[in-house]
Amino acid sequence: IMVAFIFNFENSDKFILVSLDFPQGKEAMDRVPNPERNKELSAKYAIEYFPSVLLMNSAGEEFMRTSNIGVGATEYVEHIKTSATKARQALVMAQALKQKYAKADDKAAVVREAVVALKDTPEGASAGSTLAEIVRQGIVLDPENKTGLKKDSLVALVMSGVSSPGENALAIEMDPKNELGLLETVVSKEYQGIQGPEGVTAFLAHAQTLFDCGKIHDVSKVSMVFAVTAYFEMNENGNAEKAKIFAEKALALGSLPENVIPMMNQIISGEAEAESEEDGQ
């Protein structure tokens, strides 16, 4: 388990790697040179998952955060180089827009600039949070969406993956038929952070809304939403019939990962139901 800090100096294609280990076993933990320092840096940079890779400038300012993207070493190095350049440029732009917004008389115009910039910002770039702060002002400036700024701001926030729970709720309210793709995007993220029975209930309600509207933009995203719904309907609600409907739809969309397909087939055939009943005896 590791956190890697990669320092990339200005106007340079050279990188310096500093890695911190967070092993699980006692024997391995005893070999960590300075565990307290590791904990201090983990807290300072709000490390939430392992492995994490933070790209930083010479001043120790983080400009991008990434992780394992499932490619080989050569491809990953190229990904880091390309992403570093774009993320550094995005951070400079974000800081400039922040200053511009503070001084602007026409703040809505600056928000629109930030909306465009946020859409073009690489995933994981620190500039995203700065730009999101500006974009959120669009909701405040146009609460009734009279100029379309509220809608454009919500679309940018949701599609860039930086929206808050409150903004997700607004997005569902604004796009109940998934015309803009906001509903499917929010629901696809929702199942990844479900907490407790109330979270399951809310997710299932939103998934049903998505199912009923019939509008799909990202087939792979929606197929997983329906697969997860089938799982929860079977294992949490014991509703085999409803689980079967969602499992069939998930398979019909044709974009499920290979390891999910057998579970859907079990739900459809009734084998999952039989196993569930046997487990309860």
Side-chain angles (χ1 to χ4, degrees):
I1 298 177
M2 181 188 74
V3 175
F5 297 91
I6 300 179
F7 292 89
N8 175 222
F9 301 131
E10 290 80 354
N11 303 316
S12 171
D13 60 355
K14 304 299 182 182
F15 297 83
I16 297 176
L17 171 66
V18 176
S19 63
L20 307 180
D21 284 329
F22 293 82
Q24 297 291 318
K26 185 179 184 309
E27 183 177 342
M29 290 173 65
D30 290 341
R31 292 199 299 269
V32 175
N34 193 342
E36 293 305 315
R37 179 58 173 164
N38 286 15
K39 291 179 182 178
E40 178 186 333
L41 290 172
S42 178
K44 178 179 178 180
Y45 291 100
I47 304 301
E48 297 179 353
Y49 55 85
F50 300 96
S52 285
V53 179
L54 282 65
L55 277 69
M56 316 184 86
N57 60 23
S58 57
E61 181 182 30
E62 178 187 343
F63 58 84
M64 185 168 180
R65 184 172 301 210
T66 183
S67 186
N68 188 333
I69 59 172
V71 298
T74 302
E75 293 88 346
Y76 188 71
V77 170
E78 287 304 313
H79 163 72
I80 290 292
K81 288 181 178 179
T82 302
S83 299
T85 300
K86 292 181 179 179
R88 289 174 70 93
Q89 293 171 345
L91 184 59
V92 172
M93 178 184 294
Q95 292 169 338
L97 281 176
K98 185 175 182 179
Q99 294 177 0
K100 185 176 181 179
Y101 180 85
K103 299 175 182 178
D105 293 324
D106 185 358
K107 294 188 180 297
V110 183
V111 170
R112 291 195 181 280
E113 287 186 58
V115 164
V116 174
L118 182 58
K119 290 179 180 178
D120 294 336
T121 298
E123 183 179 355
S126 301
S129 59
T130 301
L131 291 169
E133 291 177 14
I134 304 171
V135 172
R136 286 190 174 97
Q137 297 307 308
I139 302 172
V140 178
L141 294 171
D142 185 24
E144 297 180 8
N145 196 41
K146 291 181 178 180
T147 67
L149 184 58
K150 177 181 180 179
K151 182 196 75 173
D152 293 343
S153 298
L154 278 173
V155 170
L157 291 166
V158 171
M159 295 305 187
S160 300
V162 293
S163 52
S164 68
E167 289 155 359
N168 288 340
L170 283 176
I172 291 176
E173 182 181 324
M174 178 171 284
D175 192 27
K177 295 184 179 180
N178 201 39
E179 295 293 337
L180 302 172
L182 296 182
L183 176 60
E184 69 181 40
T185 302
V186 170
V187 179
S188 69
K189 293 175 182 175
E190 195 172 29
Y191 76 76
Q192 300 175 42
I194 291 178
Q195 294 184 356
E198 292 182 357
V200 172
T201 300
F203 164 72
L204 293 179
H206 294 154
Q208 185 67 60
T209 300
L210 179 60
F211 185 92
D212 293 339
C213 78
K215 183 77 173 180
I216 296 175
H217 296 267
D218 188 327
V219 173
S220 61
K221 186 182 294 182
V222 176
S223 63
M224 272 305 299
V225 168
F226 291 159
V228 174
T229 303
Y231 172 84
F232 278 124
E233 288 291 358
M234 174 64 74
N235 293 281
E236 297 293 327
N237 292 344
N239 192 333
E241 192 58 37
K242 200 167 187 179
K244 181 179 178 181
I245 292 172
F246 275 96
E248 288 176 338
K249 185 64 174 179
L251 284 175
L253 291 175
S255 295
L256 286 177
E258 289 295 325
N259 63 327
V260 177
I261 293 175
M263 182 190 299
M264 295 300 101
N265 285 325
Q266 286 181 347
I267 290 175
I268 292 170
S269 67
E271 293 178 17
E273 181 181 14
E275 290 176 4
S276 178
E277 291 175 352
E278 289 174 5
D279 290 342
Q281 291 178 356

